[in-house]
């Protein structure tokens, strides 16, 4: 059994740290709490610190004391509710838990809320671990990250669930280091700018996908060690890829070793069971009113940014945070002190979170998954906003997927589903996400949502992706979408990579790669993503023929492209559209090319515009519009030259 060393408990933690922690402003709490290798009076060991204000006693137990609680009793720091203990002789790799005696004299074994590493599930012990081993090589990326991630730069995100992207032949997981080779190569070859990882914090149940967490500071051991995950991020950065991490500050799972009723009482969750329970998910909500919970969560956000060089956090379920009754099934609605539905404490927490994160890391992104009309989600907190940099545009996703699933004869009556988003497209900084949520639980894959026979499914999907890439806002696609996964996502098995044995899926992968590169190379598609000056309708009203046309514009005069989307299976020859200037126009992109699996209805030569006003433009031209296709034109220049049609 390892020994303790006599030292005043009050000297293990500073009064300033204690004050800030209980004030809710200790934003580096991971340096204070948890298990840390330390040296006291020349003796090496481990300092343990845990918050359990209502516990009668707390002990540190592990293999080193045969999981007996009597030998290593922690000391309570006066009235703070924080317990500390230094155990001499312990080193990295020790398994441990906290043995908590609750107010009703029950014993529970709890994992460390601040543990840096944990046992591989189904085991649940925390592991003493140092995060100082890894030598980062991403200095160039970190130095220029702010410019690469500016609002006027392209952003094309590949969303990944590490447990099911690929699996080994025996069904086991790829490790972080193994994924650093194959995954990064795949993402780069397909033209993405960022990878977004679904939560990789420690969680007990594989099929929660990481959204029900027990170890907020512990990268899951399923795929390797913390330094292995650092290596994966480092390799992304060295290859020019940003890394976004899903983060879940709204709720946590009820597993006995986790945060729930940590000291035998509601601690991280509210005391009021109506506010604590999340029946929809079977979880507990965080209590944002407690300052110590604020310190825990804000520190956790900074932990991933500070130590793992994460470039952005996608904050899960923001709507469930800021509304008291969102996703709740209580027969009696919960009300705040003013009689409203807003969770006032959660709103204050959210603003403080974003203010603090940007104070330390102004070059990263905080991204809200928020699905309601809450105003100013991406406005600064100084302007009464929530302070996020981006918001997922779930309204657009719901509308466009509802439309694209309709049979062709039904589409004219629902044309507004294509155009309504432009009434609010610039009210926030939006990301357009075709995420995992759209492809599970019987919702079908994107390809299998498409109506009609096989060729129409692929044509519709090419058109949908084209519309995604030309609509204002940044982009996100879930893994497998790049090769038109046919079945919905199955989280227990790898993607259906065997589909690439078939020509139709090979062609689609070629299409998505080409489209992604075109998007990145075409400045007018992203330079003014969040500015109304970056968009202009040509014709939003051609519902009978299922065609919409518009312009995307860049910052420089004359930097624009003309986009025409045809949501019917008819080919339109000599289709007239208005354009802003006289001269030749070249078709730069067409989803109906035969190399993509299309029918080849293209505009091969440059088209001369005429001095004939149309669609509120001074000039116009006649084009061929492909079936279930998107075609994009740009003004002819010396660099962008092609023969003009002889008939023009």
């Amino acid at each position: 059994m390892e020994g303790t060393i006599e030292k005043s408990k009050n000297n293990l933690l500073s009064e300033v740290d204690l004050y800030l922690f209980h004030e809710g402003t200790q934003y580096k709490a991971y340096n204070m709490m948890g298990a840390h290798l330390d040296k006291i009076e020349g003796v090496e060991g481990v300092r343990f610190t845990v918050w359990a204000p209502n516990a009668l006693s707390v002990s540190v137990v592990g293999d080193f004391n045969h999981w007996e609680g009597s030998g290593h009793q922690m000391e309570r720091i006066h009235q703070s509710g924080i317990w500390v203990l230094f155990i001499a002789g312990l080193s990295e790799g020790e398994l441990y838990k906290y043995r908590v005696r609750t107010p009703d004299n029950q014993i529970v074994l709890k994992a460390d809320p601040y543990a840096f590493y944990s046992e591989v599930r189904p085991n649940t012990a925390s592991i003493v671990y140092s995060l100082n081993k890894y030598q980062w090589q991403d200095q160039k990326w970190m130095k220029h990250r702010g410019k690469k991630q500016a609002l006027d730069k392209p952003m094309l995100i590949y969303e990944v669930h590490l447990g099911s992207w690929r699996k080994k032949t025996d069904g086991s997981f790829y490790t972080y280091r193994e994924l650093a080779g194959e995954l990064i190569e795949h993402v780069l070859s397909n033209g993405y700018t960022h990878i977004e990882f679904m939560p990789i914090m420690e969680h007990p149940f594989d099929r929660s996908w990481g959204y029900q967490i027990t170890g907020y500071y512990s990268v899951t051991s399923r795929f390797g060690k913390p330094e292995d995950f650092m290596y994966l991020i480092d390799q992304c950065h060295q290859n020019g890829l940003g890394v976004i991490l899903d983060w879940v500050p709204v709720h946590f799972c009820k597993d006995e070793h986790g945060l729930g009723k940590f000291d035998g009482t509601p601690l991280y969750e509210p005391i009021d069971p109506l506010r604590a329970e999340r029946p929809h998910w079977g979880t507990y909500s965080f209590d944002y009113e407690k300052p110590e919970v604020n310190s825990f969560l804000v520190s956790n956000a900074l932990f991933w940014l500070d130590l793992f060089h994460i470039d952005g956090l996608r904050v899960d379920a923001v709507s469930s945070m800021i509304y008291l009754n969102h996703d709740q099934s209580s027969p009696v609605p919960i009300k705040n002190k003013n009689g409203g539905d807003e969770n006032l404490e959660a709103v204050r927490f959210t603003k403080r979170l974003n203010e603090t994160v940007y104070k330390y890391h102004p070059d990263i992104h905080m991204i809200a998954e928020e699905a309601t009309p809450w105003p100013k989600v991406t406005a600064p907190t100084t302007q009464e906003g929530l302070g996020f940099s981006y918001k997922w545009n779930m309204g657009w996703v719901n509308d466009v997927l509802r439309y694209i699933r309709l049979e062709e004869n039904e589409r004219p009556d629902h044309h507004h589903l294509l155009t309504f988003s432009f009434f609010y497209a610039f009210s926030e900084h939006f990301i357009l996400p075709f995420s995992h949520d759209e492809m599970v639980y019987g919702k079908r894959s994107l390809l299998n949502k498409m109506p009609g026979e096989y060729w129409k499914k692929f044509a519709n999907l090419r058109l949908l992706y084209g519309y995604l890439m030309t609509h204002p806002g940044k982009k996100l696609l879930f893994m497998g979408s790049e090769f038109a996964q046919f079945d919905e996502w199955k989280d227990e098995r790898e993607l259906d990579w065997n589909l690439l044995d078939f020509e139709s899926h090979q062609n689609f992968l070629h299409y998505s790669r080409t489209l992604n590169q075109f998007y990145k190379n075409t400045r007018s598609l992203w330079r003014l993503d969040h500015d109304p000056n970056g968009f202009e309708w040509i014709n939003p009203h051609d519902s009978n023929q299922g065609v919409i046309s518009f312009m995307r514009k860049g910052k420089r005069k004359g930097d624009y492209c003309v986009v025409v989307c045809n949501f019917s299976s008819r080919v339109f020859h000599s289709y007239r559209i208005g354009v802003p200037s006289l001269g030749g126009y070249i078709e730069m992109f067409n989803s109906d090319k035969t190399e993509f699996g299309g029918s080849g209805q293209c505009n091969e030569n440059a088209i001369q515009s005429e001095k004939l006003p149309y669609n509120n433009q001074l000039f116009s031209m006649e084009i061929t519009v492909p079936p279930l296709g998107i075609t994009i034109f740009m003004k002819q220049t010396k660099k962008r030259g092609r023969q003009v049609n002889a008939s023009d």
Side-chain angles (χ1 to χ4, degrees), residues 81-122:
I82 290 178
W83 302 74
V84 297
L85 179 67
F86 178 79
I87 304 180
L90 289 192
S91 57
E92 186 175 54
E94 292 282 2
L95 303 181
Y96 72 100
K97 282 187 178 180
Y98 296 115
R99 184 180 185 271
V100 179
R101 186 176 294 277
T102 69
D104 59 356
N105 213 31
Q106 300 297 309
I107 299 296
V108 291
L109 292 180
K110 290 290 188 176
D112 188 345
Y114 288 85
F116 293 155
Y117 195 38
S118 306
E119 283 189 290
V120 178
R121 51 80 180 108

CSV table of all heavy atoms in Angstrom, one decimal, residues 81-122:
chain,number,residue,atom,x,y,z
A,81,GLY,N,-16.4,22.1,0.1
A,81,GLY,CA,-16.9,20.9,-0.5
A,81,GLY,C,-15.9,20.2,-1.4
A,81,GLY,O,-16.2,19.3,-2.1
A,82,ILE,N,-14.7,20.7,-1.4
A,82,ILE,CA,-13.6,20.1,-2.1
A,82,ILE,C,-12.7,19.2,-1.2
A,82,ILE,O,-12.4,19.6,-0.1
A,82,ILE,CB,-12.7,21.1,-2.8
A,82,ILE,CG1,-13.5,21.8,-3.9
A,82,ILE,CG2,-11.4,20.6,-3.4
A,82,ILE,CD1,-12.8,22.9,-4.7
A,83,TRP,N,-12.4,18.0,-1.7
A,83,TRP,CA,-11.7,17.0,-1.0
A,83,TRP,C,-10.3,16.8,-1.7
A,83,TRP,O,-10.3,16.8,-2.9
A,83,TRP,CB,-12.4,15.7,-0.9
A,83,TRP,CG,-13.8,15.8,-0.3
A,83,TRP,CD1,-14.9,16.3,-0.8
A,83,TRP,CD2,-14.1,15.3,1.0
A,83,TRP,NE1,-15.9,16.2,0.0
A,83,TRP,CE2,-15.5,15.6,1.2
A,83,TRP,CE3,-13.4,14.7,2.1
A,83,TRP,CZ2,-16.2,15.3,2.3
A,83,TRP,CZ3,-14.1,14.4,3.2
A,83,TRP,CH2,-15.5,14.7,3.4
A,84,VAL,N,-9.2,16.7,-0.9
A,84,VAL,CA,-7.9,16.6,-1.5
A,84,VAL,C,-7.1,15.5,-0.8
A,84,VAL,O,-7.4,15.2,0.4
A,84,VAL,CB,-7.1,17.9,-1.4
A,84,VAL,CG1,-7.8,19.0,-2.3
A,84,VAL,CG2,-6.9,18.3,0.0
A,85,LEU,N,-6.2,14.9,-1.5
A,85,LEU,CA,-5.2,13.9,-0.9
A,85,LEU,C,-4.0,13.8,-1.8
A,85,LEU,O,-4.2,13.7,-3.0
A,85,LEU,CB,-5.9,12.6,-0.7
A,85,LEU,CG,-5.1,11.4,-0.1
A,85,LEU,CD1,-4.7,11.7,1.3
A,85,LEU,CD2,-5.8,10.1,-0.3
A,86,PHE,N,-2.8,13.8,-1.2
A,86,PHE,CA,-1.6,13.5,-1.9
A,86,PHE,C,-1.2,12.1,-1.5
A,86,PHE,O,-1.0,11.8,-0.3
A,86,PHE,CB,-0.5,14.5,-1.6
A,86,PHE,CG,0.8,14.2,-2.3
A,86,PHE,CD1,1.0,14.5,-3.7
A,86,PHE,CD2,1.8,13.6,-1.6
A,86,PHE,CE1,2.2,14.2,-4.3
A,86,PHE,CE2,3.0,13.3,-2.3
A,86,PHE,CZ,3.2,13.6,-3.6
A,87,ILE,N,-1.0,11.2,-2.5
A,87,ILE,CA,-0.5,9.8,-2.2
A,87,ILE,C,0.9,9.7,-2.7
A,87,ILE,O,1.1,9.7,-4.0
A,87,ILE,CB,-1.5,8.8,-2.8
A,87,ILE,CG1,-2.9,9.0,-2.3
A,87,ILE,CG2,-1.0,7.4,-2.4
A,87,ILE,CD1,-3.9,8.0,-2.8
A,88,ALA,N,1.8,9.5,-1.9
A,88,ALA,CA,3.2,9.4,-2.3
A,88,ALA,C,3.4,8.0,-2.9
A,88,ALA,O,2.8,7.0,-2.5
A,88,ALA,CB,4.1,9.5,-1.0
A,89,GLY,N,4.3,8.0,-3.9
A,89,GLY,CA,4.7,6.8,-4.5
A,89,GLY,C,3.9,6.3,-5.7
A,89,GLY,O,4.3,5.4,-6.4
A,90,LEU,N,2.7,6.9,-5.9
A,90,LEU,CA,1.9,6.6,-7.0
A,90,LEU,C,2.5,7.2,-8.3
A,90,LEU,O,3.1,8.2,-8.3
A,90,LEU,CB,0.5,7.0,-6.9
A,90,LEU,CG,-0.4,6.3,-5.8
A,90,LEU,CD1,-1.9,6.7,-6.0
A,90,LEU,CD2,-0.3,4.8,-5.9
A,91,SER,N,2.2,6.5,-9.4
A,91,SER,CA,2.8,7.0,-10.7
A,91,SER,C,1.7,6.8,-11.8
A,91,SER,O,0.6,6.4,-11.6
A,91,SER,CB,4.0,6.2,-11.1
A,91,SER,OG,3.7,4.8,-11.1
A,92,GLU,N,2.1,7.2,-13.0
A,92,GLU,CA,1.2,7.2,-14.1
A,92,GLU,C,0.7,5.8,-14.4
A,92,GLU,O,1.5,4.8,-14.2
A,92,GLU,CB,1.9,7.7,-15.4
A,92,GLU,CG,0.9,7.9,-16.6
A,92,GLU,CD,1.6,8.6,-17.7
A,92,GLU,OE1,2.7,8.1,-18.1
A,92,GLU,OE2,1.1,9.6,-18.2
A,93,GLY,N,-0.5,5.6,-14.8
A,93,GLY,CA,-1.1,4.3,-15.1
A,93,GLY,C,-1.9,3.7,-14.0
A,93,GLY,O,-2.5,2.6,-14.3
A,94,GLU,N,-1.9,4.2,-12.8
A,94,GLU,CA,-2.7,3.7,-11.7
A,94,GLU,C,-4.2,3.8,-12.0
A,94,GLU,O,-4.7,4.9,-12.4
A,94,GLU,CB,-2.4,4.4,-10.4
A,94,GLU,CG,-0.9,4.1,-9.9
A,94,GLU,CD,-0.8,2.8,-9.2
A,94,GLU,OE1,-1.8,2.0,-9.2
A,94,GLU,OE2,0.3,2.5,-8.7
A,95,LEU,N,-4.9,2.7,-11.7
A,95,LEU,CA,-6.4,2.8,-11.8
A,95,LEU,C,-6.9,3.3,-10.5
A,95,LEU,O,-6.4,3.0,-9.4
A,95,LEU,CB,-6.9,1.4,-12.0
A,95,LEU,CG,-6.5,0.6,-13.3
A,95,LEU,CD1,-7.2,-0.7,-13.3
A,95,LEU,CD2,-6.8,1.4,-14.5
A,96,TYR,N,-8.0,4.1,-10.5
A,96,TYR,CA,-8.5,4.6,-9.3
A,96,TYR,C,-10.0,5.1,-9.5
A,96,TYR,O,-10.5,5.2,-10.6
A,96,TYR,CB,-7.7,5.9,-8.8
A,96,TYR,CG,-7.9,7.1,-9.7
A,96,TYR,CD1,-8.7,8.1,-9.3
A,96,TYR,CD2,-7.2,7.3,-10.9
A,96,TYR,CE1,-8.9,9.3,-10.0
A,96,TYR,CE2,-7.3,8.4,-11.6
A,96,TYR,CZ,-8.2,9.4,-11.2
A,96,TYR,OH,-8.4,10.6,-11.9
A,97,LYS,N,-10.7,5.2,-8.4
A,97,LYS,CA,-12.0,5.8,-8.3
A,97,LYS,C,-12.1,6.5,-7.0
A,97,LYS,O,-11.2,6.4,-6.1
A,97,LYS,CB,-13.1,4.7,-8.4
A,97,LYS,CG,-13.4,4.2,-9.8
A,97,LYS,CD,-14.6,3.3,-9.8
A,97,LYS,CE,-14.9,2.8,-11.2
A,97,LYS,NZ,-16.1,2.0,-11.2
A,98,TYR,N,-13.2,7.3,-6.8
A,98,TYR,CA,-13.5,7.9,-5.6
A,98,TYR,C,-14.6,7.1,-4.9
A,98,TYR,O,-15.6,6.8,-5.5
A,98,TYR,CB,-13.9,9.3,-5.7
A,98,TYR,CG,-12.9,10.2,-6.3
A,98,TYR,CD1,-13.0,10.8,-7.6
A,98,TYR,CD2,-11.7,10.5,-5.6
A,98,TYR,CE1,-12.1,11.7,-8.1
A,98,TYR,CE2,-10.7,11.3,-6.1
A,98,TYR,CZ,-10.9,11.9,-7.4
A,98,TYR,OH,-9.9,12.7,-7.9
A,99,ARG,N,-14.3,6.7,-3.6
A,99,ARG,CA,-15.3,6.0,-2.8
A,99,ARG,C,-16.0,7.0,-1.9
A,99,ARG,O,-15.4,7.6,-1.0
A,99,ARG,CB,-14.6,4.9,-1.9
A,99,ARG,CG,-15.5,4.0,-1.1
A,99,ARG,CD,-14.6,3.1,-0.3
A,99,ARG,NE,-15.4,2.1,0.5
A,99,ARG,CZ,-15.9,2.3,1.7
A,99,ARG,NH1,-15.6,3.5,2.3
A,99,ARG,NH2,-16.6,1.4,2.3
A,100,VAL,N,-17.2,7.3,-2.3
A,100,VAL,CA,-18.0,8.3,-1.7
A,100,VAL,C,-19.0,7.8,-0.7
A,100,VAL,O,-19.8,6.9,-1.1
A,100,VAL,CB,-18.7,9.2,-2.8
A,100,VAL,CG1,-19.6,10.3,-2.2
A,100,VAL,CG2,-17.7,9.7,-3.8
A,101,ARG,N,-19.0,8.3,0.5
A,101,ARG,CA,-20.1,7.9,1.5
A,101,ARG,C,-21.1,9.1,1.4
A,101,ARG,O,-20.8,10.2,1.7
A,101,ARG,CB,-19.5,7.8,2.9
A,101,ARG,CG,-20.6,7.3,3.9
A,101,ARG,CD,-20.0,7.1,5.3
A,101,ARG,NE,-19.0,6.0,5.3
A,101,ARG,CZ,-19.3,4.7,5.4
A,101,ARG,NH1,-20.6,4.4,5.5
A,101,ARG,NH2,-18.4,3.8,5.4
A,102,THR,N,-22.3,8.7,1.0
A,102,THR,CA,-23.4,9.7,0.7
A,102,THR,C,-24.1,10.1,2.0
A,102,THR,O,-23.9,9.5,3.1
A,102,THR,CB,-24.4,9.1,-0.2
A,102,THR,OG1,-25.2,8.0,0.5
A,102,THR,CG2,-23.8,8.5,-1.5
A,103,PRO,N,-24.9,11.2,2.0
A,103,PRO,CA,-25.6,11.6,3.2
A,103,PRO,C,-26.5,10.6,3.9
A,103,PRO,O,-26.7,10.7,5.1
A,103,PRO,CB,-26.4,12.8,2.7
A,103,PRO,CG,-25.6,13.3,1.5
A,103,PRO,CD,-25.0,12.1,0.9
A,104,ASP,N,-27.0,9.6,3.1
A,104,ASP,CA,-27.8,8.6,3.7
A,104,ASP,C,-26.9,7.3,4.0
A,104,ASP,O,-27.4,6.2,4.1
A,104,ASP,CB,-29.0,8.2,2.8
A,104,ASP,CG,-28.5,7.7,1.4
A,104,ASP,OD1,-27.3,7.8,1.1
A,104,ASP,OD2,-29.4,7.4,0.6
A,105,ASN,N,-25.6,7.5,4.1
A,105,ASN,CA,-24.7,6.5,4.5
A,105,ASN,C,-24.5,5.3,3.6
A,105,ASN,O,-24.1,4.2,4.0
A,105,ASN,CB,-25.1,6.0,5.9
A,105,ASN,CG,-23.8,5.6,6.7
A,105,ASN,OD1,-22.8,6.2,6.6
A,105,ASN,ND2,-24.0,4.6,7.6
A,106,GLN,N,-24.8,5.6,2.3
A,106,GLN,CA,-24.5,4.6,1.3
A,106,GLN,C,-23.1,4.8,0.6
A,106,GLN,O,-22.6,5.9,0.7
A,106,GLN,CB,-25.6,4.7,0.2
A,106,GLN,CG,-27.0,4.5,0.6
A,106,GLN,CD,-27.2,3.1,1.2
A,106,GLN,OE1,-26.9,2.1,0.6
A,106,GLN,NE2,-27.8,3.0,2.4
A,107,ILE,N,-22.6,3.7,0.1
A,107,ILE,CA,-21.2,3.8,-0.6
A,107,ILE,C,-21.4,3.7,-2.1
A,107,ILE,O,-22.1,2.8,-2.6
A,107,ILE,CB,-20.3,2.7,-0.1
A,107,ILE,CG1,-20.1,2.8,1.4
A,107,ILE,CG2,-19.0,2.8,-0.8
A,107,ILE,CD1,-19.4,4.1,1.9
A,108,VAL,N,-20.8,4.7,-2.8
A,108,VAL,CA,-20.8,4.6,-4.3
A,108,VAL,C,-19.4,4.8,-4.7
A,108,VAL,O,-18.6,5.6,-4.1
A,108,VAL,CB,-21.8,5.7,-4.9
A,108,VAL,CG1,-23.2,5.4,-4.6
A,108,VAL,CG2,-21.4,7.1,-4.4
A,109,LEU,N,-19.0,4.1,-5.8
A,109,LEU,CA,-17.7,4.3,-6.4
A,109,LEU,C,-17.9,5.1,-7.7
A,109,LEU,O,-18.6,4.8,-8.6
A,109,LEU,CB,-17.1,2.9,-6.8
A,109,LEU,CG,-16.7,2.1,-5.6
A,109,LEU,CD1,-16.1,0.7,-6.1
A,109,LEU,CD2,-15.7,2.8,-4.7
A,110,LYS,N,-17.2,6.3,-7.7
A,110,LYS,CA,-17.3,7.2,-8.8
A,110,LYS,C,-16.0,7.4,-9.6
A,110,LYS,O,-15.0,7.5,-9.0
A,110,LYS,CB,-17.8,8.6,-8.3
A,110,LYS,CG,-19.2,8.6,-7.7
A,110,LYS,CD,-20.2,8.5,-8.9
A,110,LYS,CE,-21.6,8.7,-8.4
A,110,LYS,NZ,-22.6,8.7,-9.5
A,111,ALA,N,-16.2,7.4,-10.9
A,111,ALA,CA,-15.0,7.8,-11.8
A,111,ALA,C,-14.7,9.3,-11.6
A,111,ALA,O,-15.6,10.0,-11.1
A,111,ALA,CB,-15.3,7.5,-13.2
A,112,ASP,N,-13.5,9.7,-11.8
A,112,ASP,CA,-13.1,11.0,-11.6
A,112,ASP,C,-13.7,11.9,-12.7
A,112,ASP,O,-13.5,11.7,-13.9
A,112,ASP,CB,-11.6,11.1,-11.7
A,112,ASP,CG,-11.0,12.5,-11.3
A,112,ASP,OD1,-11.8,13.5,-11.2
A,112,ASP,OD2,-9.8,12.6,-11.0
A,113,PRO,N,-14.5,12.9,-12.4
A,113,PRO,CA,-15.1,13.8,-13.4
A,113,PRO,C,-14.0,14.5,-14.3
A,113,PRO,O,-14.3,14.9,-15.4
A,113,PRO,CB,-15.9,14.9,-12.6
A,113,PRO,CG,-16.2,14.2,-11.3
A,113,PRO,CD,-15.0,13.3,-11.0
A,114,TYR,N,-12.8,14.7,-13.7
A,114,TYR,CA,-11.7,15.4,-14.4
A,114,TYR,C,-10.6,14.4,-14.9
A,114,TYR,O,-9.5,14.9,-15.2
A,114,TYR,CB,-11.1,16.4,-13.5
A,114,TYR,CG,-12.0,17.6,-13.3
A,114,TYR,CD1,-12.9,17.6,-12.2
A,114,TYR,CD2,-11.8,18.8,-14.0
A,114,TYR,CE1,-13.7,18.7,-12.0
A,114,TYR,CE2,-12.6,19.9,-13.8
A,114,TYR,CZ,-13.6,19.9,-12.8
A,114,TYR,OH,-14.4,21.0,-12.6
A,115,ALA,N,-10.9,13.1,-14.9
A,115,ALA,CA,-9.8,12.2,-15.3
A,115,ALA,C,-9.4,12.4,-16.8
A,115,ALA,O,-10.2,12.7,-17.6
A,115,ALA,CB,-10.4,10.7,-15.2
A,116,PHE,N,-8.1,12.3,-17.0
A,116,PHE,CA,-7.6,12.5,-18.4
A,116,PHE,C,-7.6,11.2,-19.2
A,116,PHE,O,-7.4,11.2,-20.4
A,116,PHE,CB,-6.1,13.0,-18.3
A,116,PHE,CG,-6.0,14.4,-17.7
A,116,PHE,CD1,-4.8,14.8,-17.1
A,116,PHE,CD2,-7.0,15.3,-17.8
A,116,PHE,CE1,-4.7,16.0,-16.6
A,116,PHE,CE2,-6.9,16.6,-17.3
A,116,PHE,CZ,-5.7,16.9,-16.7
A,117,TYR,N,-7.9,10.1,-18.6
A,117,TYR,CA,-7.9,8.8,-19.3
A,117,TYR,C,-8.7,7.8,-18.5
A,117,TYR,O,-8.8,7.9,-17.2
A,117,TYR,CB,-6.4,8.3,-19.5
A,117,TYR,CG,-6.3,7.2,-20.5
A,117,TYR,CD1,-7.0,7.2,-21.7
A,117,TYR,CD2,-5.3,6.2,-20.3
A,117,TYR,CE1,-6.8,6.2,-22.6
A,117,TYR,CE2,-5.1,5.2,-21.2
A,117,TYR,CZ,-5.9,5.2,-22.4
A,117,TYR,OH,-5.7,4.2,-23.3
A,118,SER,N,-9.3,6.8,-19.2
A,118,SER,CA,-10.2,5.9,-18.5
A,118,SER,C,-9.9,4.5,-19.1
A,118,SER,O,-9.4,4.3,-20.2
A,118,SER,CB,-11.6,6.3,-18.7
A,118,SER,OG,-11.8,7.6,-18.3
A,119,GLU,N,-10.4,3.5,-18.3
A,119,GLU,CA,-10.3,2.1,-18.8
A,119,GLU,C,-11.2,1.9,-20.1
A,119,GLU,O,-12.2,2.6,-20.2
A,119,GLU,CB,-10.8,1.1,-17.7
A,119,GLU,CG,-9.9,0.9,-16.6
A,119,GLU,CD,-10.4,-0.3,-15.7
A,119,GLU,OE1,-11.4,-0.1,-15.0
A,119,GLU,OE2,-9.8,-1.4,-15.8
A,120,VAL,N,-10.9,0.9,-20.9
A,120,VAL,CA,-11.7,0.6,-22.0
A,120,VAL,C,-13.0,0.0,-21.5
A,120,VAL,O,-13.0,-0.9,-20.6
A,120,VAL,CB,-11.0,-0.4,-22.9
A,120,VAL,CG1,-11.9,-0.8,-24.1
A,120,VAL,CG2,-9.7,0.2,-23.4
A,121,ARG,N,-14.1,0.5,-22.1
A,121,ARG,CA,-15.4,-0.1,-21.6
A,121,ARG,C,-15.4,-1.6,-21.9
A,121,ARG,O,-14.8,-2.0,-22.8
A,121,ARG,CB,-16.6,0.7,-22.3
A,121,ARG,CG,-16.5,0.8,-23.9
A,121,ARG,CD,-16.9,-0.4,-24.6
A,121,ARG,NE,-16.9,-0.5,-26.0
A,121,ARG,CZ,-16.0,-1.2,-26.6
A,121,ARG,NH1,-15.0,-1.8,-26.1
A,121,ARG,NH2,-16.1,-1.2,-27.9
A,122,PRO,N,-16.1,-2.4,-21.1
A,122,PRO,CA,-17.1,-2.0,-20.1
A,122,PRO,C,-16.5,-1.6,-18.7
A,122,PRO,O,-17.2,-1.3,-17.8
A,122,PRO,CB,-18.0,-3.2,-20.0
A,122,PRO,CG,-17.0,-4.4,-20.2
A,122,PRO,CD,-16.1,-3.9,-21.3
